[in-house]
Amino acid sequence: MTSIRPDPADVFSKGYICPKAFGLQDVHHDPDRLRMPLKRTGSTWEELSWEQAFDEVGQKLRALRKEHGDECVAIYQGNPTVHNVGALTHGQVFFQSIKTPHRYTAQSMDNLPHGLASLSMFGNQAILPVPDFDRSDYVLMLGANPVVSGGSAMIAPNVGSRLRGVLDRGGAIVALDPRRTESSRFASEHLFIRPGSDSAFLLAMVHVLFEEGRVALGRLASRMRGVDALRTLSSKFSPETVEAFCGVDAANIRRLAAEFCEAKRAVCYGRIGVCTQRFGGLSAWLITVLNAISGNLDEVGGAMFCKAPVDLAMLSERTGMRGSFDRYRSRVQNLPEYGGEFPVVALAAEIETSGPGQVRALISHAGNPVLSFPDSPRLESAIPKLELFVAIDIYKNETTRYADYILPPTFGLENDHYELATQVVSVRQVARFSRKLFVRGDSQRHDWEIFLELYRRTGVLSSLKASLAKRLPPRRIVDALMRIGPHGAFRGGLRLASVVGAGGLDMGPLEPRLEALLGRRNIELVPAIYAKDVARLVSAMQEERPGLTLIGRRTLRSNNSWMHNSPQLTAGKNRCVLLMHPEDALERNIDNGSVVDVASSTGRIAVAVALTDDVMPGVVSLPHGFGHQEHVASGLRHAKTVAGPNANRLTSVEAYDRLSGTAALSGQVVHVSRLPQSTED
Ligand SMILES: Nc1nc2c(c(=O)[nH]1)N[C@H]1C(S)=C(S)[C@@H](COP(=O)(O)OP(=O)(O)OC[C@H]3O[C@@H](n4cnc5c(=O)[nH]c(N)nc54)[C@H](O)[C@@H]3O)O[C@H]1N2
Ligand SMILES: Nc1nc2c(c(=O)[nH]1)N[C@H]1C(S)=C(S)[C@@H](COP(=O)(O)OP(=O)(O)OC[C@H]3O[C@@H](n4cnc5c(=O)[nH]c(N)nc54)[C@H](O)[C@@H]3O)O[C@H]1N2
Ligand SMILES: [Mo]
C-alpha cells in the first residue's frame, strides 16, 4: 500500500475522505499488528498455530460451559464490529447460540437510548430516524459534533458542506452544546446548554408548542397516540422553570420553539451528548417527540427512515425480531436487558461477584474496554479473576494483554467491506461495496472465519452447519439480502455484482416510509417508561451539583482508543488536553498549559489544561481513548509514546441512565486543582 487517496468518482463521498482513513495505511503495515494466535502463560507469550489455538480455546470453553452452564460466558462486541461485515453476518450467530444473558456491546455507551425510543414509540428498535440534512431548512442539533465525528447514527460524508448547504438555502442551524464545537462553527447559532439537561430543555420546547398552539401532527396524525398525555406531562416544564437548570434563557427557548415550527422543514438531531448522560433515555425519546409533533417525522427535510439496500428495518419486521427491553435484569445491579444484552456498566460486578451466574469467561471481539469502559480501572482489576479470556483483536493492547488467547483477524483492506449496520441511517439510499484489495495469507483468518471455527470447537454449531456457513462468505449473504431488499428491482435488479460493477449506486434521497414499516401499529408519543422517568428529572432539577462537570470530546485524528499506534494520525501537538473556561481557571489559580489534578468519585488523573471560552463555565472537556502510556505491557510501541491520560479513570459505573442503563460518560462531577509541581515549572 503506497498511498490512500479520496475517490472523486465515488457516488456517495464524491471525493471527501475522513482524515482517519489515511491511518489505515499505518495499521496495514504496522509491525505491532498480530498475525498469528498468541497464548499467554503468566507474563510470557507464545505463538500458536490456528489449529492449536482453536483446539485449546474450544476445549476450555466447552469445559467451562459444562461445569457452570452457558451463563458463565460473557461476550463483548466492540465498536469496530459495527463496521465489519463478517462480524455482523457471522458473529451474531455466536452471540445468539450461546445461551448467556451476558452479552455486551458498545451500544450501551453509545446509541442505546435512540434504539429504545424507536422500540417504545414505533415498536421496533431497528426503525431508526435519520436527519434529512440535505433538504432541511432548520436543524436543531444537540450533543453532536458531526464535523469531527463524521456523523453518527447518521451517515453522511462531508458533513461540513452539507451543513453549509442548509445555510446557503437560507435555512438555519442551531447547535446546543456545552462546548462551542467544530460543528457549532458551521451553525448560524450556538447556545451553551448544561450537561445532562437536554430532556428538560426539550420538554420546555414541547410545552411551548402546546401553549402556543403550534402542535401540528401532519400526515401521521391518525397514527399518533398520547397527545393529551404529552400535553399534561410537559405542562410543568415551562421555559421559565427549566432555564436555570439548562443554562438556556427562557426567551431563547421560546424563540427556538417558534423558529422550529415556522421553518418549512425542520429536524431535531441529537447524538452521543444526549445519549451517554443521566437522562439519555428521556432525551432521545423527546427528540423524536419534537420531530413528531411539529409534523417533521417521516417528512422530507425532517427525521426520515432510510430504505437501505439491505433493509434491516423491514427484515426485522418480517422476522418479528423487533427488539426487547427489560425482559430480565442483571444479577448484581438489577439492570435491564435491551435487545438481549446487558449494559456495559454491569460487566465488572458480574465478574467480581461470586455465586450462580458469575461470569468466568470473557470473549471480547474488537473491543478495548480497559480504556473505553466507564471506570475502566475497575474492569481492569476484575479481568484477572476470569478463568478464561479470549480476545479477537488485531493488537496486543491495553485490554488484550490480559487475554489468555489473542486470535488476530485480517484487517481493513484485507476484507470485503459493506456498511451493513450503518447504511440504515444513511442520508441517501446508496449501495457501495468494496472488494478486498489484499488477499489474506494462508496463515491468516478473517473475523468471520474465526467465529465459525469457535462455534464448531465450542460445540454451539454442528460441524455440518459450520462447514455450510463457511461456504457462505459475508458477500454472498449481502448479495442475497440485497436481492430481496427494497431495491431488488432497481435498474433491472439490484445485486452485489451490479453494485460492484457500477462502482456503487445512488438510488436517490430518502423517501417517506414509516407507515409501511409500522404496519398496523401506532406511534406512541408517551410510552409508560418515559412518563415514569420524568419524576427523576424533576428531582434532579432541585439538586445542587458542586464542582465542575466533565464532558467528552472527539478529535479528528483519533478513533476511540485504537488508532493511536499510527504515526500519521498522532503526529503534531498533544490533543488530549483538558479544556477549561478562563473564569474557572482564575478561581483555581490555574494557568494555561499547566498540569492539573482532576478528581472524581472514582479516580484521579493529571492532565495538561488549555484555557478557552469555547467551553461553558463550570464545564471541562477531555477526550477519551488515551491512556496508552499507563500500560507498559501493551504491544503498541508507538501508542505508548502518545501523551494523555485515560478519561475513563474518572467516569463511574454508578453513573448511568437509571431508565436505560446507558453509561453516563458525560456529566461526571469533577474537582480540578493546581498541582504543586506545576508552580515550580
Ligand atoms: N469517556 C468516554 N468513553 C467512551 C466514549 C466517550 O465518548 N467517552 N465513547 C464510547 C463509544 S461511543 C464507543 S463506540 C466505545 C468504543 O470502545 P470499544 O468498543 O472498546 O472500541 P475501541 O476503543 O474502538 O477499540 C476497538 C478494538 O478493536 C480492535 N479492532 C479494530 N479493527 C478490528 C477488526 O476489524 N477486527 C477485530 N477483531 N478487531 C479490530 C482494535 O485493535 C481495538 O482493540 O467507547 C466508549 N467510551
Ligand atoms: N474522529 C473521530 N470520529 C469518530 C469517533 C472518534 O473517536 N473520532 N468515534 C465514533 C463513534 S464510536 C461515535 S459513537 C460517534 C459519536 O459522534 P458524535 O455524537 O457526533 O460525537 P462527539 O464528538 O462525542 O459529540 C458529542 C457532543 O456532545 C456534547 N455534549 C456532551 N455532553 C452533553 C450534554 O449533556 N448535552 C449536550 N447537548 N451536549 C453534550 C459534546 O461537547 C460533544 O460536542 O463518532 C464516531 N466518529
Ligand atoms: Mo460509538
Side-chain angles (χ1 to χ4, degrees):
M1 197 186 301
T2 53
S3 76
I4 290 179
R5 278 173 294 146
D7 178 6
D10 184 273
V11 290
F12 196 32
S13 78
K14 306 221 159 76
Y16 173 81
I17 191 171
C18 165
K20 295 191 296 296
F22 295 108
L24 292 177
Q25 189 180 4
D26 286 348
V27 183
H28 183 80
H29 293 295
D30 194 341
D32 293 342
R33 179 150 73 93
L34 305 179
R35 282 158 177 97
M36 287 298 284
L38 287 183
K39 175 185 181 174
R40 184 179 58 85
T41 320
S43 57
T44 55
W45 292 88
E46 169 195 353
E47 211 171 270
L48 297 183
S49 69
W50 283 98
E51 192 53 31
Q52 195 181 346
F54 284 135
D55 240 21
E56 291 188 15
V57 170
Q59 224 168 53
K60 288 185 178 168
L61 272 171
R62 265 208 310 272
L64 278 168
R65 290 175 69 212
K66 200 165 163 207
E67 195 182 339
H68 304 285
D70 272 10
E71 67 268 28
C72 78
V73 183
I75 303 170
Y76 175 64
Q77 291 194 313
N79 170 276
T81 58
V82 174
H83 307 284
N84 183 317
V85 60
L88 295 168
T89 55
H90 291 68
Q92 291 302 331
V93 185
F94 201 24
F95 221 46
Q96 304 304 333
S97 343
I98 292 202
K99 299 288 170 235
T100 174
H102 289 294
R103 302 190 183 110
Y104 302 83
T105 75
Q107 79 173 326
S108 54
M109 40 182 174
D110 185 338
N111 61 349
L112 193 158
H114 288 309
L116 182 58
S118 292
L119 179 66
S120 323
M121 298 180 76
F122 310 135
N124 185 340
Q125 66 187 44
I127 303 183
L128 292 168
V130 45
D132 188 20
F133 281 170
D134 291 348
R135 293 177 292 175
S136 194
D137 305 307
Y138 195 92
V139 177
L140 184 65
M141 190 161 71
L142 292 100
N145 189 11
V147 167
V148 166
S149 67
S152 172
M154 179 265 291
I155 297 304
N158 205 349
V159 178
S161 92
R162 294 186 131 91
L163 293 178
R164 216 177 286 119
V166 178
L167 304 192
D168 289 349
R169 288 194 298 277
I173 301 169
V174 180
L176 278 111
D177 199 297
R179 181 168 76 89
R180 197 176 296 110
T181 62
E182 296 77 358
S183 304
S184 307
R185 299 188 194 286
F186 284 81
S188 35
E189 183 178 358
H190 165 260
L191 292 168
F192 283 135
I193 185 166
R194 283 187 51 204
S197 71
D198 303 83
S199 50
F201 165 82
L202 289 161
L203 275 166
M205 293 281 286
V206 172
H207 174 100
V208 176
L209 261 64
F210 278 112
E211 189 184 71
E212 298 185 0
R214 293 183 183 274
V215 170
L217 306 181
R219 192 187 95 236
L220 294 166
S222 67
R223 308 296 296 269
M224 291 186 199
R225 297 287 173 271
V227 178
D228 290 333
L230 187 64
R231 180 190 290 114
T232 311
L233 203 66
S234 63
S235 64
K236 288 178 260 153
F237 291 85
S238 70
E240 291 71 22
T241 332
V242 306
E243 65 178 344
F245 179 63
C246 299
V248 184
D249 288 347
N252 272 333
I253 300 178
R254 289 185 181 278
R255 175 177 56 85
L256 295 180
E259 287 174 7
F260 194 81
C261 293
E262 281 160 19
K264 195 159 164 244
R265 300 153 159 187
V267 66
C268 181
Y269 167 65
R271 257 314 270 135
I272 200 158
V274 303
C275 288
T276 57
Q277 52 146 289
R278 285 200 291 169
F279 298 104
L282 283 179
S283 311
W285 160 62
L286 286 161
I287 284 172
T288 296
V289 164
L290 183 61
N291 287 325
I293 64 168
S294 57
N296 290 301
L297 189 65
D298 200 34
E299 294 290 352
V300 167
M304 302 193 75
F305 302 88
C306 183
K307 202 186 278 177
V310 177
D311 194 358
L312 296 180
M314 195 50 100
L315 276 173
S316 61
E317 283 297 323
R318 299 250 161 86
T319 54
M321 289 160 70
R322 300 189 185 93
S324 58
F325 179 62
D326 208 5
R327 285 176 303 167
Y328 49 88
R329 292 194 160 232
S330 71
R331 184 177 61 110
V332 183
Q333 283 147 296
N334 197 36
L335 292 164
E337 154 273 351
Y338 168 79
E341 63 179 81
F342 283 141
V344 294
V345 291
L347 182 58
E350 294 291 338
I351 300 173
E352 289 162 356
T353 314
S354 52
Q358 181 181 10
V359 169
R360 294 166 191 274
L362 173 65
I363 300 168
S364 171
H365 178 223
N368 193 7
V370 163
L371 292 187
S372 62
F373 274 30
D375 195 357
S376 54
R378 174 155 171 204
L379 186 76
E380 186 178 357
S381 62
I383 283 177
K385 302 195 175 92
L386 291 164
E387 289 172 41
L388 180 68
F389 177 16
V390 181
I392 304 168
D393 206 287
I394 54 174
Y395 283 123
K396 182 168 77 176
N397 62 18
E398 297 78 6
T399 301
T400 62
R401 57 147 292 212
Y402 288 105
D404 300 298
Y405 296 88
I406 308 178
L407 308 176
T410 50
F411 173 76
L413 306 181
E414 295 161 343
N415 286 319
D416 288 337
H417 187 82
Y418 184 74
E419 280 291 321
L420 191 59
T422 58
Q423 47 138 26
V424 303
V425 285
S426 169
V427 296
R428 288 187 72 86
Q429 308 179 112
V430 288
R432 293 183 310 161
F433 186 90
S434 314
R435 275 270 167 79
K436 54 178 168 280
L437 293 179
F438 298 92
V439 178
R440 72 154 167 72
D442 284 344
S443 63
Q444 284 182 292
R445 297 286 180 277
H446 297 305
D447 284 274
W448 64 274
E449 292 175 311
I450 296 174
F451 281 123
L452 282 183
E453 213 42 47
L454 273 184
Y455 308 149
R456 197 165 77 77
R457 313 262 181 147
T458 313
V460 294
L461 204 64
S462 69
S463 296
L464 179 68
K465 281 188 185 158
S467 71
L468 283 176
K470 205 164 177 170
R471 278 186 254 140
L472 266 184
R475 81 183 125 75
R476 300 248 330 250
I477 297 178
V478 170
D479 183 40
L481 294 174
M482 258 184 198
R483 288 171 193 238
I484 60 162
H487 304 279
F490 182 79
R491 286 196 205 150
L494 185 74
R495 58 190 59 187
L496 203 55
S498 48
V499 173
V500 174
L505 289 170
D506 183 334
M507 291 154 295
L510 305 180
E511 299 158 59
R513 69 175 311 215
L514 186 55
E515 285 131 307
L517 289 170
L518 286 176
R520 294 210 189 111
R521 295 193 304 274
N522 288 313
I523 300 166
E524 297 299 334
L525 291 176
V526 190
I529 52 168
Y530 300 114
K532 208 170 136 210
D533 203 36
V534 167
R536 193 168 59 92
L537 174 65
V538 172
S539 61
M541 286 170 65
Q542 326 300 330
E543 268 171 33
E544 287 277 328
R545 296 193 102 206
L548 297 165
T549 306
L550 177 71
I551 62 168
R553 185 164 86 247
R554 281 177 161 72
T555 59
L556 206 50
R557 296 202 276 161
S558 296
N559 191 16
N560 297 318
S561 74
W562 71 276
M563 289 192 92
H564 292 146
N565 215 43
S566 157
Q568 287 191 61
L569 293 181
T570 47
K573 62 174 193 227
N574 172 13
R575 294 174 183 88
C576 188
V577 294
L578 186 79
L579 303 182
M580 185 183 231
H581 193 279
E583 282 170 18
D584 292 322
L586 196 65
E587 240 172 66
R588 292 166 178 78
N589 197 17
I590 289 169
D591 302 319
N592 193 23
S594 63
V595 174
V596 292
D597 172 71
V598 188
S600 74
S601 59
T602 2
R604 67 187 334 129
I605 57 166
V607 64
V609 75
L611 303 186
T612 169
D613 58 11
D614 282 343
V615 280
M616 191 175 192
V619 172
V620 285
S621 158
L622 186 69
H624 72 287
F626 291 82
H628 311 287
Q629 288 180 329
E630 300 161 24
H631 294 270
V632 286
S634 108
L636 304 173
R637 282 172 294 176
H638 178 74
K640 277 193 276 192
T641 67
V642 174
N646 173 7
N648 282 321
R649 284 189 174 277
L650 301 170
T651 51
S652 164
V653 286
E654 291 308 320
Y656 58 86
D657 173 24
R658 291 300 186 263
L659 170 63
S660 68
T662 310
L665 299 165
S666 178
Q668 191 80 36
V669 172
V670 293
H671 298 277
V672 181
S673 51
R674 194 186 164 100
L675 272 178
Q677 320 63 307
S678 70
T679 348
E680 291 150 30
D681 291 345

